[in-house]
């Protein structure tokens, strides 16, 4: 039986129309011999609007659940994750060629690495791309590196959580994505950074779509009081994990 990379996608009705593009980018990935991917699509809710956009492919599974935000949807999808690694792919984003293989190679080469991220390019409505600023150098990221940069830069992480690739058991040990209405992916990234070394790849690994209906552009997402609370609890969790001194691997 092949070893597996599990790609996890949370989707809601407005973003479902982008699933075919995400799928095309996933189909274009090439993994080393003995490896395969599986795509777990989890709807945040239970509507009739997502399933028509789900590809008919035995490597793809689709489930629905009560609405609770993308973190809840991704964490529910972990119940079906039967591979060694978990890769995030938001419904409206696209992987670049070779992204999965590069992430996999980094972690397979160094068992002391718990997670990886890669360079992200914004995908603009006209089809052009823009560079996500502030990328670190390619290579390992020591524990606490992301938290320190994030706290010093108005809660802007130096690596993008939408490009996350991580060991499944480590994600499970940390409880999956945070129970927040947004920034749940940043919360998981900070927790991973608190307990393990990571890796950053300078080659672009993700096209991060900018579009009018995306949740991160909504007024609620940018509400000052809520943002302050989200950042406070994400930081407190990461610092608590670091203070307890638990490290992965033991």
């Amino acid at each position: 039986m092949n070893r597996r990379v599990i790609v996890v996608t949370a989707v809601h009705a407005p973003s479902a129309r982008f699933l075919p593009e995400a799928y095309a980018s996933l189909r274009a990935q090439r993994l080393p011999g003995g490896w395969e991917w599986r795509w777990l699509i989890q709807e945040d809710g239970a509507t009739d609007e997502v399933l028509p956009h789900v590809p008919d492919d035995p490597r793809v599974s689709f489930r629905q659940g009560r609405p609770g935000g993308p973190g809840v949807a991704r964490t529910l999808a972990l119940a079906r994750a039967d591979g060694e690694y978990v890769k995030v792919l938001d419904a409206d984003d696209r992987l670049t060629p070779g992204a999965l293989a590069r992430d996999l190679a980094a972690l397979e080469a160094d068992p002391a690495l718990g997670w990886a991220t890669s360079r992200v390019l914004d995908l603009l409505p006209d089809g052009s791309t823009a560079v996500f600023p502030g990328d670190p150098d390619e290579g390992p990221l020591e524990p606490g590196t992301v938290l320190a940069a994030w706290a010093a830069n108005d809660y802007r992480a130096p690596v993008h959580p939408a490009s996350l690739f991580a060991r499944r058991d480590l994600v499970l040990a940390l409880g999956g994505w945070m129970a927040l209405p947004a920034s749940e992916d940043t919360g998981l990234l900070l927790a991973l950074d608190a307990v393990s070394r990571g890796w950053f790849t300078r080659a672009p690994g993700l096209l991060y779509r900018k579009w009018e209906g995306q949740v991160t552009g909504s007024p609620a997402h940018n509400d000052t009081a809520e943002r302050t609370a989200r950042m406070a609890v994400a930081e407190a969790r990461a610092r608590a994990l670091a203070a307890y001194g638990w490290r992965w691997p033991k």
Side-chain angles (χ1 to χ4, degrees), residues 114-135:
W115 54 277
T117 54
S118 60
R119 192 178 194 188
V120 170
L121 300 179
D122 286 340
L123 178 61
L124 305 179
D126 64 1
S128 64
T129 58
V131 175
F132 178 79
D135 290 335

Side-chain angles (χ1 to χ4, degrees), residues 107-183:
L107 269 64
E108 282 289 288
D110 188 350
L113 295 174
W115 54 277
T117 54
S118 60
R119 192 178 194 188
V120 170
L121 300 179
D122 286 340
L123 178 61
L124 305 179
D126 64 1
S128 64
T129 58
V131 175
F132 178 79
D135 290 335
D137 294 333
E138 176 157 338
L141 299 171
E142 297 302 321
T145 299
V146 175
L147 175 60
W150 174 84
N153 192 33
D154 190 32
Y155 307 127
R156 186 179 180 89
V159 297
H160 206 305
S163 68
L164 183 65
F165 181 99
R167 298 184 190 275
R168 183 199 61 175
D169 289 351
L170 180 55
V171 172
L172 289 170
L174 293 170
W177 287 264
M178 289 193 76
L180 295 172
S183 306

